[in-house]
Amino acid sequence: MRITVSVNGQSYTRDVEPRLLLVHFLRDELDLTGTHWGCDTSNCGVCTVQLDGVPVKSCTVLAVMADGHEVTTVEGLERDGELDAVQKGFVECHGLQCGFCTPGMLLTARALLDRHPDPDESQIREAISGQLCRCTGYENIVRSIRWAAEAK
């Protein structure tokens, strides 16, 4: 099946199998390996990307469902050599450990801040509740997102 998807502002047209998952399309067809592949059951959230600005778990979205839509991956957060405020917050507040969950956390946080520029701690925790981090107690992740909100 032929699809055309805008990924990080660039249009891609590819022939894909109808059952190809978006995570595999991004990683294997487009070589965008920042999107991680974890549990394959939508439990961990490491494969989260934005589809038309909404965080989705790309292991449960077929590539054909993204046809005609805009996908943002972690590679698309940086603009003109400048890190997004969320990326800067994770650096400043040590919001990452091993980095496996980080791309999904960053995209979820960016979507939250786009909708609610000044979220409180409970809103942040609810937004990232579908993201599993096995390294931290989430304190530095929450702090990183608050840093980004305050940095604007």
Side-chain angles (χ1 to χ4, degrees):
M1 180 172 219
R2 190 177 253 331
I3 63 171
T4 300
V5 182
S6 177
V7 180
N8 302 327
Q10 184 175 343
S11 183
Y12 296 91
T13 300
R14 297 285 191 281
D15 288 317
V16 300
E17 290 291 324
R19 64 184 179 190
L20 181 69
L21 294 172
L22 183 57
V23 66
H24 298 305
F25 176 75
L26 296 169
R27 292 181 59 81
D28 302 337
E29 297 288 326
L30 304 184
D31 293 323
L32 295 171
T33 57
T35 301
H36 294 158
W37 179 35
C39 67
D40 219 14
T41 61
S42 81
N43 288 318
C44 71
V46 302
C47 67
T48 299
V49 298
Q50 289 183 11
L51 183 62
D52 294 335
V54 177
V56 298
K57 294 175 181 177
S58 62
C59 74
T60 60
V61 175
L62 297 172
V64 297
M65 295 168 72
D67 185 32
H69 294 277
E70 172 66 35
V71 174
T72 304
T73 69
V74 69
E75 292 92 344
L77 286 177
E78 167 270 325
R79 300 276 185 217
D80 300 321
E82 183 73 20
L83 293 178
D84 184 90
V86 174
Q87 291 170 305
K88 290 178 185 177
F90 272 65
V91 171
E92 292 295 321
C93 300
H94 309 286
L96 57 100
Q97 297 279 317
C98 78
F100 196 63
C101 72
T102 304
M105 288 283 189
L106 292 171
L107 288 157
T108 300
R110 170 47 45 219
L112 170 66
L113 295 179
D114 288 346
R115 285 189 323 273
H116 303 288
D118 191 27
D120 61 27
E121 182 177 336
S122 67
Q123 290 170 312
I124 293 170
R125 288 185 180 277
E126 181 179 341
I128 64 171
S129 65
Q131 311 286 316
L132 294 181
C133 176
R134 292 174 177 96
C135 297
T136 73
Y138 297 92
E139 290 301 318
N140 287 348
I141 293 169
V142 172
R143 202 167 315 155
S144 298
I145 297 169
R146 278 297 315 145
W147 186 97
E150 292 168 5
K152 295 191 175 35

